[in-house]
Amino acid sequence: MADSIIIVESPAKMKTISKFLGRGYQVKATMGHVRDLPKSALGVDVENGFQPKYVTIRGRAKVVNELKESARKAKKVLLATDPDREGEAISWHIAEILGLDKDAPCRIEFNEITKKAITEALKKPRGIDIDLVEAQQARRVLDRLVGYKLSPLLWKKVRRGLSAGRVQSVAVRLICDREREINEFKQEEYWTIEAILAPDDNEETSFSARLVKVSGKTPHIGSKDEADRIVESARGLDFIVADVKKKERKRSPSPPFTTSTMQQEASRRLGFSAKKTMLLAQQLYEGLEIGDEGSVGLVTYIRTDAVRVAAEAQEMARDFIRQRYGAEYVPEKAPHYKAKATAQEAHEAIRPTAVTRSPDMVKQYLSRDQYRLYRLIWERFVASQMKPAVFDMTIVDVTAGEYLFRATGSQMKFPGFSIVYTETRDTDTTISDDENDQRIPELAAGNKLRLIKLTQDQHFTQPPPRYTEASLVKALEEKGIGRPSTYAPIIDTILRRNYVELEEKRFRPTELGFAVVDLLKEWFPDVVDIEFTARMEDQLDQIAEGKTEWDGVVRDFYQPFEKLIETAEKELAHVKIADEVTEEKCPNCGRNLVIKYGRYGRFLACPGFPECRFTKNIVHEVGVPCPKCGAAVVERRTKKGRKFYGCSRYPECDFVTWNQPTNRTCPKCNAFLVQKGRGKSAIYQCVNGSCGYTEKPPEGEASGGSRRKAAAGADDDEG
């Protein structure tokens, strides 16, 4: 039996750490949280200082007993859970279960799963940080009080199956508020005028300049008639260069990823949901099999709001950049990025554990999506340690009578970090004039220009865009709502509760979402108040820093909240939610069908119930024909929610398959191929069982990848 037991959360982490340790150590995994508040009761003693009543999570008793048995035989127990509040709380729970002295040096932490990091951590064990534990406990208790007190009220007054929470309800409010802004937006017409000019008769030297001033004032051109008048007036004038300004502009790289910025960029660039990004990132952090290296942690800890990089990692990056790209790309001093005020600077940003382990080196060992996320993290980090890109900027002012036209041009002088990576933009962000890459010829004040043509373009002011996953995550972080590690489960929850829907990858609130937010705004304003929720996050930070007591924070919130619950129970009337009407007609009575929400999601129903009881599933076609009858194949779900695929003509046609159809055709019988397995183990096979044809998927095409479940988090809202 080993002298020391090291306890971590997941089997993947256990496997990676085990390879770094000698015979004296044995590594055990908790499989996530082992204790939590009970699901069947409030689990918080509100009469006795809000003390939580923890129980062993169902199904974890065997794990707990194994840990007890291993700890009893070992000389030393070390708790190596993740380096954050959640990890600290898991260590505290394990210490409670095993009867460990929580002040004794039983806790080790590391920011990356590498041999050096583990070895260094073993030299510096410490006691459990009770302030971090109490901050997590305060969050857990607050979420339980809100979730278990408000949700039953929503069930009773609105609809069964609903939930509310400190962060999820604010997220829904943001989406609803944005939708109302869009609905109330009054569109206005405006016109822009551009002159295409050249210094001579050679049109290849032409450039465009936009009208920016009329008689010294910024014009608002609100109609075609007004635009026509200006164009006619300017057409016969002399266009003279009034001023030429040249300057050098530097564009610095973005800092390495935090949890939030990783989620945003993975959404914009790769189309990943926040949930998918965190799942893949967890796999990269905990360790994957990389050839002869065995199980390797590829990135540092993925739940962080810091942009700090360890000095040693920066030096390794500088050496790598010097060798790979040249000394001219290495800045004189390693860059230092400013973190937001609330960032936990003890942590590092997300970066590769070894910058020399390039994406191409590990590509063959990763699933397609693991590789794409690793490449994103690697490129962002390498770029963050490089010199800025340098541009030569030219700004030319051209006068024509009372009109002032301005041309801007930008030419790259030195690519800097951009040879590796440039951050993508939200689709709603416009390109500024100083990023116009048109080439402007050599000009001097007083030069007369030839007018090639004047163009006028009609535009309309646009409402604010609906939130994407990336822009919602950005808004939540900027407003101080929740923590980036909770955004993925929050987004998942508000979608599952049907408070919002994704429409062309943007969130649109449902009538249910509006109804719940309006109810909460009227009766529980603090729960959906953005500033109040942000202040609560600040208070949780103060608990973590030992500056305030956790039970006082909970008491200050709960006492007025409890009174509001009691009043609402008595006075709040039942909320009627209008059904969403569709264009599809009921085949029995001709009424327009409406969308209803049931236990298994949305379905179509006749509004004439109970006189007419017609209902119909909402189905999604998957783009392949049924091999039996040629009708469309649609996605369906069992009563337990498991996805399968079947003929849209069921029950007339009984074709079904568990396997996901592809758009590839069997070369033997012309039926479609289905995918079996995921990632590297995936194969395509003919849906026609008697055919027997199989093939390997083309490079990078098979969906999915390895699915190791991350340590369960209880730090998000109930629901």
Side-chain angles (χ1 to χ4, degrees), residues 210-222:
R210 176 169 292 192
L211 178 65
V212 293
K213 299 282 184 184
V214 177
S215 299
K217 295 180 180 178
T218 302
H220 175 71
I221 308 170

Side-chain angles (χ1 to χ4, degrees), residues 293-364:
E293 287 191 85
S295 186
V296 174
L298 294 176
V299 301
T300 55
Y301 190 52
I302 58 163
R303 293 177 179 86
T304 177
D305 54 5
V307 290
R308 185 184 70 83
V309 176
E312 183 180 9
Q314 284 191 310
E315 281 306 311
M316 288 178 64
R318 290 166 67 81
D319 288 343
F320 177 83
I321 293 164
R322 192 177 290 110
Q323 293 173 23
R324 171 73 71 92
Y325 303 106
E328 66 272 24
Y329 287 91
V330 182
E332 289 184 18
K333 294 182 179 178
H336 175 76
Y337 294 98
K338 187 176 180 181
K340 62 178 185 176
T342 57
Q344 301 177 46
E345 280 295 275
H347 291 167
E348 275 195 75
I350 302 170
R351 61 168 175 81
T353 53
V355 71
T356 52
R357 198 180 284 120
S358 70
D360 287 343
M361 287 176 60
V362 298
K363 183 176 182 178
Q364 63 180 310

Side-chain angles (χ1 to χ4, degrees), residues 623-634 646-649 653-656 671-672 687:
V624 296
C626 173
K628 284 192 173 183
C629 71
V633 172
V634 298
C647 182
S648 58
R649 292 182 59 245
C653 178
D654 62 357
F655 166 75
V656 291
F672 60 84
V687 71

Side-chain angles (χ1 to χ4, degrees), residues 9 13 81-91 107 109-110 126 129 132-133 136 259 282 285 301-304 344 347 485 715:
E9 299 100 322
K13 195 173 177 182
T81 51
D82 288 342
D84 57 13
R85 294 177 195 173
E86 196 73 21
E88 204 72 19
I90 293 175
S91 283
R107 173 80 165 110
E109 62 177 345
F110 35 83
R126 59 168 174 80
D129 188 333
L132 288 181
V133 174
Q136 189 276 343
T259 305
Q282 187 80 19
Y285 165 68
Y301 190 52
I302 58 163
R303 293 177 179 86
T304 177
Q344 301 177 46
H347 291 167
S485 59
D715 211 18

Side-chain angles (χ1 to χ4, degrees), residues 419-436:
I419 64 168
V420 176
Y421 169 92
T422 53
E423 186 175 18
T424 54
R425 299 172 178 272
D426 288 321
T427 53
D428 356 298
T429 306
T430 56
I431 296 176
S432 60
D433 284 341
D434 65 1
E435 292 172 304
N436 189 333

